[in-house]
Amino acid sequence: MPQTVLILDFGGQYTQLIAKRVRKAKVFSQVLPFSASIQQIRSFDPVGIILSGGPASVLQTDAPACSPEIFELGVPVLGICYGMQLISHMLGGKVTAAQKREYGLQKVNVKADNELFKSLPGSLDCWMSHTYQVDRLPEGFRTIAWTANCPVAAMADEKRRLYGLQFHPEVTHTKQGNDIIHAFLYDVCGCEGDWEMTDFARAAVEDIKKAVGEGTVLLGLSGGVDSSVVAALIHRAIGDRLHCVFVDHGFMRQDEPRLVAEIFTRTFPVSLVAVDAAERFMQKLKGVSDPEQKRKIIGAEFVAVFRDEASKLGHLDHFAQGTIYPDVIESGAVPGATVIKSHHNVGGLPKELGFTSLIEPLRMLFKDEVRELGLVLGLPREMVMRQPFPGPGLAIRVIGDLTAQKVELVRLSDAILREEIGITSLDTEINQYFTVLSGIRSVGVMGDERSYDYAVAIRAVTTDDFMTADWARIPYEVLAIISRRIVNEVKGINRVLFDVTTKPPASIEWE
Ligand code: XMP
């Protein structure tokens, strides 16, 4: 058993990011609800405990609190944001409403005379998001960081090895965040870095074996990274008792259905059924222009196609999905998070299909971790490094109602974009890029003729986790080639736009 750091979850939006940072530092971490009992906590024999942030205030009557005995275990504790306020509140300090709410990047002054900050400069840019703050320190603590508005931005009781940070070291905006987490893990908790992605793979394979027993599994294969990695994991666990179904809804990228079938039968000997259901989907989507409606119809039709195919395969016991953590969050499956888009690969599918259990081994991983896992499992790099492609496919990259012609316009322009980006070295720098057929038609001239055709937009983003993103700075010369090729080669498009919006406020996809 590797050394374990427990993360107690107080409902903060960054809890899984904390877990990811800890994994990145090669330390095994386990997220537990804040209400975990002291017996449960002890059973992990943790080398450290992290208390996450959360939306509550310690001053409210039913404020979430952890077992007070964790402070007596002799194990280092790091409280982040709400976690720090809770330490203060539970150990006799005082928390009050801040005079000025701090949100966003703040200059934080730190003392270098402690384990957390000893190798850092005296002033750091840190991500803050808090309405309450520690007003009076509990006994035994001292202030080790402060901002212009927040007198206690970090606190420490070195004797008991208890630490608190009012800012968020786990988000990328806090530049030295990784160093701080690393210092807590290695210098305070004495971690040895004995955990690797291969351990995750081994544990996941064991879990799948246990869950499936002698049974069989149906997996919807999209050809994307997530479902491919799930296929590899389950195949390793149960071999040919895994049955994959690939539904071609008619909204795949150029050549994709053929490639998926080829790569899959070549890479692993999985049983794969490929279904061409393009007609069925198009019928259902006729005249529908609302983005959520489109997603819902595609999701429902997926269920229908799956039901048909599954019944042809005979009885299968379990259903597997390549859901990853951002899907879980964005679908509102976590209490407190609002629905942003109904991702078609999360939701009622298994229940409707009559499966008793759902296997989602990637549910707690971020995209970059899924790729690392894929490589560990021996998947080809070309497959693992593919950019993400949404379940509803090109259907949500044609704004408004769908026709076969519009889908073809986005497919052809997307193929040109991918080809040109692939020629440059930009494809390793840009995390996702595609074209979107805007609903706009505009006037142009082609030879001597007036045209009235569609405008297509290029969307290209750089991002770590797809939860926030910046637009990619594609050089003008490359944009010029792409634009020229699209308007010359794709009949029906006479204008090319470049999307220069970050996420938030825009999302990566347009629908
Ligand atoms: P947004 O548009 O929400 O996209 O900023 C974030 C990432 O998720 C992908 N995406 C989806 N993936 N099913 C998926 O499997 C979906 O319904 C879906 N919608 C968006 C999107 O391509 C981007 O990588």
Side-chain angles (χ1 to χ4, degrees):
M1 182 75 185
Q3 292 178 317
T4 303
V5 168
L6 289 181
I7 299 167
L8 297 188
D9 181 11
F10 289 89
Q13 52 177 328
Y14 303 130
T15 305
Q16 287 301 330
L17 265 183
I18 303 174
K20 174 180 168 171
R21 299 283 173 237
V22 176
R23 289 196 289 266
K24 197 108 198 134
K26 298 191 184 307
V27 174
F28 177 69
S29 73
Q30 176 84 34
V31 177
L32 294 181
F34 68 84
S35 53
S37 69
I38 193 69
Q39 290 80 5
Q40 200 182 358
I41 290 170
R42 269 211 197 94
S43 71
F44 285 93
D45 193 16
V47 293
I49 298 174
I50 299 177
L51 310 180
S52 83
S57 148
V58 294
L59 302 179
Q60 70 196 50
T61 37
D62 54 350
C66 55
S67 160
E69 287 155 286
I70 68 164
F71 302 114
E72 278 139 39
L73 290 174
V75 168
V77 178
L78 174 67
I80 296 175
C81 198
Y82 180 84
M84 157 157 150
Q85 294 165 14
L86 187 71
I87 294 178
S88 175
H89 186 69
M90 290 176 78
L91 298 182
K94 193 168 160 211
V95 174
T96 53
Q99 291 213 324
K100 203 162 158 219
R101 179 171 181 253
E102 281 186 306
Y103 182 78
L105 270 189
Q106 305 287 335
K107 281 259 173 276
V108 176
N109 305 299
V110 302
K111 289 187 179 158
D113 61 354
N114 62 87
E115 292 292 354
L116 291 191
F117 305 139
K118 67 179 183 217
S119 57
L120 301 181
S123 168
L124 312 175
D125 286 329
C126 298
W127 188 257
M128 286 275 203
S129 169
H130 68 112
T131 319
Y132 294 88
Q133 64 188 30
V134 172
D135 202 28
R136 194 185 65 229
L137 291 166
E139 220 179 292
F141 280 82
R142 66 187 181 100
T143 299
I144 55 171
W146 64 97
T147 73
N149 302 308
C150 178
V152 187
M155 61 182 198
D157 173 344
E158 279 127 329
K159 217 153 138 213
R160 286 189 285 175
R161 296 190 295 169
L162 306 178
Y163 293 81
L165 302 173
Q166 184 53 69
F167 56 88
H168 289 274
E170 70 276 24
V171 303
T172 45
H173 307 284
T174 301
K175 279 205 187 63
Q176 281 92 355
N178 266 339
D179 297 333
I180 297 170
I181 290 173
H182 199 274
F184 176 70
L185 296 173
Y186 284 81
D187 302 334
V188 179
C189 303
C191 290
E192 285 158 11
D194 59 355
W195 184 88
E196 306 256 353
M197 199 45 105
T198 43
D199 298 308
F200 180 93
R202 203 174 307 124
V205 166
E206 283 313 309
D207 286 350
I208 294 164
K209 275 187 183 160
K210 246 185 250 150
V212 175
E214 291 304 306
T216 45
V217 176
L218 174 64
L219 169 68
L221 198 57
S222 69
V225 181
D226 307 338
S227 61
S228 304
V229 173
V230 172
L233 263 181
I234 302 183
H235 187 256
R236 189 175 273 199
I238 62 164
D240 61 6
R241 283 180 288 132
L242 168 67
H243 298 267
C244 298
V245 173
F246 168 61
V247 175
D248 177 5
H249 47 25
F251 307 121
M252 306 303 287
R253 286 169 288 196
Q254 183 92 309
D255 248 0
E256 200 149 34
R258 188 182 56 79
L259 279 177
V260 169
E262 246 177 51
I263 291 182
F264 263 89
T265 37
R266 199 185 65 208
T267 316
F268 337 80
V270 298
S271 123
L272 171 67
V273 180
V275 201
D276 178 357
E279 285 270 312
R280 261 177 91 158
F281 279 85
M282 206 47 138
Q283 277 298 333
K284 284 272 169 6
L285 287 161
K286 239 188 201 140
V288 180
S289 57
D290 177 71
E292 274 303 281
Q293 270 306 97
K294 280 159 86 173
R295 284 172 172 272
K296 290 216 165 94
I297 290 170
I298 294 170
E301 198 53 23
F302 243 92
V303 176
V305 176
F306 258 102
R307 194 187 289 117
D308 293 354
E309 289 311 312
S311 65
K312 285 183 210 157
L313 289 171
H315 174 75
L316 297 172
D317 306 301
H318 308 271
F319 186 80
Q321 286 192 142
T323 314
I324 67 170
Y325 187 67
D327 302 332
V328 175
I329 282 281
E330 296 214 348
S331 298
V334 171
T338 51
V339 176
I340 296 175
K341 286 174 186 174
S342 38
H343 279 241
H344 94 282
N345 52 348
V346 185
L349 215 80
K351 219 165 116 219
E352 292 220 22
L353 288 166
F355 289 97
T356 43
S357 96
L358 172 63
I359 298 174
E360 290 179 312
L362 311 181
R363 210 179 153 78
M364 289 302 149
L365 297 188
F366 289 82
K367 197 86 191 182
D368 49 340
E369 294 180 301
V370 173
R371 292 191 206 278
E372 194 186 334
L373 177 60
L375 291 175
V376 158
L377 291 167
L379 286 173
R381 183 163 272 276
E382 59 185 292
M383 180 187 278
V384 171
M385 290 304 162
R386 296 181 87 171
Q387 49 174 322
F389 188 62
L394 301 182
I396 56 163
R397 293 180 181 172
V398 171
I399 303 307
D401 64 320
L402 294 162
T403 62
Q405 186 228 359
K406 287 185 190 171
V407 176
E408 198 54 18
L409 291 181
V410 80
R411 182 179 286 130
L412 294 174
S413 55
D414 182 69
I416 293 172
L417 173 73
R418 286 194 291 137
E419 196 183 318
E420 290 301 332
I421 297 284
I423 292 171
T424 66
S425 59
L426 289 168
D427 63 333
T428 53
E429 289 163 33
I430 307 177
N431 304 98
Q432 192 172 13
Y433 48 95
F434 51 87
T435 60
V436 179
L437 190 75
S438 78
I440 304 168
R441 291 174 77 190
S442 72
V443 174
V445 275
M446 200 61 147
D448 289 335
E449 300 230 353
R450 175 184 182 276
S451 66
Y452 186 54
D453 285 336
Y454 284 104
V456 87
I458 296 171
R459 179 65 162 151
V461 294
T462 53
T463 170
D464 273 344
D465 54 16
F466 296 87
M467 293 170 92
T468 60
D470 194 7
W471 56 278
R473 308 307 197 252
I474 302 180
Y476 283 169
E477 308 79 68
V478 180
L479 285 174
I481 295 171
I482 297 165
S483 163
R484 194 167 56 238
R485 279 198 60 195
I486 291 177
V487 290
N488 280 329
E489 294 174 34
V490 187
K491 205 167 169 310
I493 294 176
N494 67 353
R495 200 175 286 273
V496 176
L497 314 172
F498 186 40
D499 184 347
V500 290
T501 330
T502 56
K503 170 185 179 174
S507 49
I508 295 174
E509 302 289 346
W510 277 32
E511 282 200 338

